[in-house]
Amino acid sequence: MDERMGESLSALMDDEANELELERVLAQVSQDPELRRAWIRYNVAQQAVQGSQIARLDWDISERVKSSLEVSSATAREPTGIGFKQRMLRPFVSLAVAASVAATVVIGGQQLALIGSDDPYNYGRSVATNASPVGMLNSLGATTVQASYGMQAVPILEPATSKAYQELALQRHRKYMQEHAEQAALNAPQGLIPFARVPQIQE
Amino acid sequence: MTSLFSVSKKLFRYLLLAVFSVSTSAGANAASCPDDDAVALSWLDKMSRSLRQANYHGVVTLQRDGDMQVMQVSHIVGDGSSSERLVELTGRGAQVERLSHPLDCIHPGDRLLRGEVLLPEKSCGIATHYRFAVTPGERVAGREVVRIVIEPRDIYRFGYVVDLDEETGIMLKAQTIGHGHKTLETMQFANIVYSDNLPEFSQADVIHTAQHLDPQSASAQYPVTRAWSIGWLPLGFAATDPSTGTSERRTYTDGFAVFSVFLEELNVEVRAGEGLVKRGGTTSYTRGMRIDDQPVLVTVIGEVPVNTARMVADSLDWLP
């Protein structure tokens, strides 16, 4: 684990990781089991120093995540001989591919702009407001991809995964926030106010 | 200056690890019953009960990410139940209401605030996980307040500064404090009137009736086909309802923070990855991964740091 990776991990622990740092961790995780172990050690160490109880840490997900990455990235690199209809039925792979295009198109401007931003509380919002050239998420979680993008073989870039997952996280935030607020309103000391955090309250 | 800070931060991390390597067992045994603040705990108990006892209406603001939302709220008690209403005065103007909530229906969050120990782990209740300090506060919405500073004892939850009405115990202001003492979100009453005569509320196009989920029953909108479990939770978090087995959601609270975990089974392969959305004190973390041979999408949403969400997502597993 190099110094920059250590800093990214550190930022994650401090809840201060920006998108680039998350990307860095993601890009390294498949090649660096030490990274996962270090992350778990950081958690335990910080708790120990703060004098709090040690949470149960008898699991180690590094191998599972590593094998998961190997299998899924191999699948993602398969030649695309499937039809458009089938592609439509494979939302998440399509999403990653579509976002690869998006990342390729915008990498000159948007990605560079993010390099200058170290505010961890802003980057989620910038994802939400940046126009995607393949803006295609609907409210149900299915993804439609324009044929001209979907049929092309595109390079697999790490930023593509990151970008696709940012979109996905935003979509799931919208989908699940109200159900979470139902629970928070019954279990946090603020009455119905957790509903104010729901992006769009539905009947 | 920045690089100096970064170097010192890194050094600190490595020192942490060095300390850890010789002190793990000491740390594990260190915490017994911490020095709880009886005055603070009694105020929290009062706060929890007040929310079910007082008649009031007022205007509340929620500030986060440089944005301010304004809403009108009311709370009326009568005939053994309470009724609440919230109407957004900014944004879409939606209304949320919860009518006839039985006063004797106490949810796990309130039980924790009232000092109950819900978990089998060795615990002194919420004082195990937060450090409390009571200080005089400044007026909020024209009312005298008592300020309680609530500092987390570990890295898995945020801190809070809450101002309670000195007379009624109603929470008039709450700031969510993240790492580095950053204020992530501030909720506060701009005005409050204690009365059961409600003013006319703004008309809303969207009216949502808040679910009253019985703590003893579970719901499942989109059940998954296999029973699953969460292998790791921050200490002190109790389930808000008995959602187990194949329910797609689990929710946990420690009395202040609440987070929910949603699991989706995917019928397609997914490239492993993660995405994050932050809105004020709310973290929404989505992770695509495989559990055994099954691709899944896990989303953790709640008022917890991203590291907590990530740790929880990592620990999901199928039940045998």
Side-chain angles (χ1 to χ4, degrees):
Chain A
M1 185 174 64
D2 64 20
E3 289 183 4
R4 274 178 48 180
M5 188 55 62
E7 286 176 10
S8 294
L9 208 54
S10 169
L12 184 68
M13 290 290 299
D14 286 341
D15 209 31
E16 291 171 351
N18 62 25
E19 186 172 18
L20 280 176
E21 283 163 327
L22 273 177
E23 266 175 33
R24 228 176 269 151
V25 173
L26 180 69
Q28 278 292 317
V29 75
S30 64
Q31 302 145 24
D32 191 355
E34 188 201 346
L35 178 63
R36 279 282 167 189
R37 287 197 291 272
W39 176 48
I40 292 171
R41 286 200 306 274
Y42 278 144
N43 277 275
V44 179
Q46 194 145 351
Q47 276 189 291
V49 169
Q50 290 187 354
S52 57
Q53 293 180 52
I54 302 294
R56 195 162 69 82
L57 284 164
D58 56 357
W59 45 269
D60 181 356
I61 43 68
S62 57
E63 286 308 309
R64 192 169 78 198
V65 171
K66 183 167 179 282
S67 63
S68 155
L69 274 167
E70 282 167 355
V71 172
S72 53
S73 55
T75 308
R77 283 175 170 80
E78 280 174 6
T80 53
I82 56 174
F84 179 65
K85 189 176 174 187
Q86 282 170 285
R87 185 173 291 282
M88 294 284 280
L89 295 172
R90 299 177 60 186
F92 297 104
V93 172
S94 300
L95 179 62
V97 171
S100 299
V101 178
T104 309
V105 172
V106 301
I107 197 151
Q110 201 162 290
Q111 300 297 322
L112 286 175
L114 285 168
I115 291 170
S117 163
D118 58 1
D119 181 358
Y121 300 106
N122 258 334
Y123 78 89
R125 192 171 49 207
S126 61
V127 167
T129 52
N130 285 336
S132 161
V134 287
M136 64 304 178
L137 301 178
N138 69 26
S139 61
L140 295 176
T143 306
T144 54
V145 181
Q146 291 176 28
S148 59
Y149 290 134
M151 296 304 287
Q152 288 176 31
V154 293
I156 305 297
L157 305 172
E158 282 304 331
T161 308
S162 172
K163 181 75 180 172
Y165 270 102
Q166 292 297 354
E167 298 273 8
L168 198 53
L170 188 61
Q171 195 184 65
R172 287 307 186 270
H173 175 71
R174 292 186 189 130
K175 178 179 175 182
Y176 290 134
M177 193 60 208
Q178 185 158 332
E179 193 175 343
H180 168 68
E182 299 277 8
Q183 292 287 318
L186 290 168
N187 288 284
Q190 299 176 334
L192 294 176
I193 288 166
F195 279 97
R197 302 187 184 117
V198 178
Q200 280 203 336
I201 294 171
Q202 307 294 327
E203 290 189 8
Chain B
M1 189 65 185
T2 304
S3 63
L4 188 62
F5 175 73
S6 142
V7 167
S8 63
K9 193 173 175 183
K10 183 155 54 76
L11 273 174
F12 178 67
R13 287 287 171 216
Y14 291 135
L15 277 174
L16 278 186
L17 281 178
V19 170
F20 165 71
S21 65
V22 295
S23 68
T24 306
S25 58
N29 297 328
S32 54
C33 246
D35 47 327
D36 56 355
D37 184 323
V39 178
L41 293 177
S42 73
W43 272 108
L44 294 178
D45 182 274
K46 182 173 181 176
M47 173 183 76
S48 165
R49 293 171 198 278
S50 70
L51 200 60
R52 308 298 291 278
Q53 293 169 343
N55 292 319
Y56 63 84
H57 59 88
V59 172
V60 177
T61 62
L62 180 70
Q63 293 165 267
R64 48 183 194 160
D65 303 328
D67 183 41
M68 180 192 280
Q69 290 166 265
V70 184
M71 65 212 95
Q72 200 174 7
V73 298
S74 72
H75 186 269
I76 296 293
V77 179
D79 295 332
S81 68
S82 66
S83 296
E84 296 172 83
R85 187 156 55 163
L86 177 152
V87 180
E88 294 177 326
L89 300 179
T90 50
R92 294 179 78 214
Q95 173 175 316
V96 181
E97 56 187 23
R98 174 177 287 118
L99 308 175
S100 305
H101 188 192
L103 293 178
D104 58 1
C105 177
I106 310 297
H107 291 265
D110 274 328
R111 293 174 61 194
L112 287 163
L113 287 178
R114 296 176 190 188
E116 289 187 41
V117 176
L118 302 184
L119 298 162
E121 68 195 38
K122 186 180 173 188
S123 173
C124 305
I126 47 175
T128 312
H129 312 293
Y130 294 98
R131 194 174 284 113
F132 301 101
V134 180
T135 64
E138 294 172 353
R139 292 166 77 87
V140 178
R143 307 280 301 177
E144 297 286 346
V145 300
V146 171
R147 170 165 288 187
I148 304 179
V149 179
I150 303 166
E151 185 188 349
R153 290 184 188 268
D154 62 26
I155 59 171
Y156 299 118
R157 59 205 99 213
F158 291 136
Y160 304 89
V161 177
V162 298
D163 292 334
L164 308 183
D165 189 309
E166 199 172 52
E167 190 181 329
T168 66
I170 293 285
M171 182 194 281
L172 296 178
K173 182 175 178 180
Q175 294 168 269
T176 305
I177 310 295
H179 292 292
H181 297 178
K182 271 186 213 161
T183 301
L184 304 176
E185 186 176 285
T186 302
M187 176 285 289
Q188 68 178 317
F189 276 83
N191 83 306
I192 186 166
V193 176
Y194 290 99
S195 162
D196 54 5
N197 286 325
L198 295 185
E200 194 164 321
F201 268 54
S202 302
Q203 290 296 313
D205 294 332
V206 177
I207 299 178
H208 170 70
T209 302
Q211 297 170 25
H212 177 224
L213 305 163
D214 188 326
Q216 297 309 312
S217 69
S219 66
Q221 276 187 297
Y222 312 103
V224 289
T225 59
R226 295 167 71 176
W228 56 286
S229 67
I230 296 174
W232 179 87
L233 286 171
L235 290 168
F237 277 84
T240 60
D241 60 14
S243 294
T244 52
T246 57
S247 165
E248 87 289 1
R249 176 189 55 76
R250 310 270 195 280
T251 303
Y252 300 90
T253 180
D254 69 351
F256 293 103
V258 181
F259 70 85
S260 301
V261 185
F262 296 87
L263 177 64
E264 297 168 60
E265 288 173 302
L266 306 177
N267 57 7
V268 293
E269 199 54 71
V270 60
R271 289 180 63 196
E274 57 191 351
L276 178 68
V277 174
K278 285 183 172 189
R279 298 283 184 272
T282 302
T283 296
S284 190
Y285 171 83
T286 297
R287 157 83 65 91
M289 61 184 188
R290 291 165 64 97
I291 305 180
D292 293 342
D293 54 349
Q294 173 66 52
V296 297
L297 196 65
V298 180
T299 299
V300 181
I301 296 186
E303 290 65 54
V304 289
V306 59
N307 187 51
T308 305
R310 202 170 201 263
M311 298 271 286
V312 169
D314 269 339
S315 75
L316 261 62
D317 209 348
W318 302 119
L319 283 173

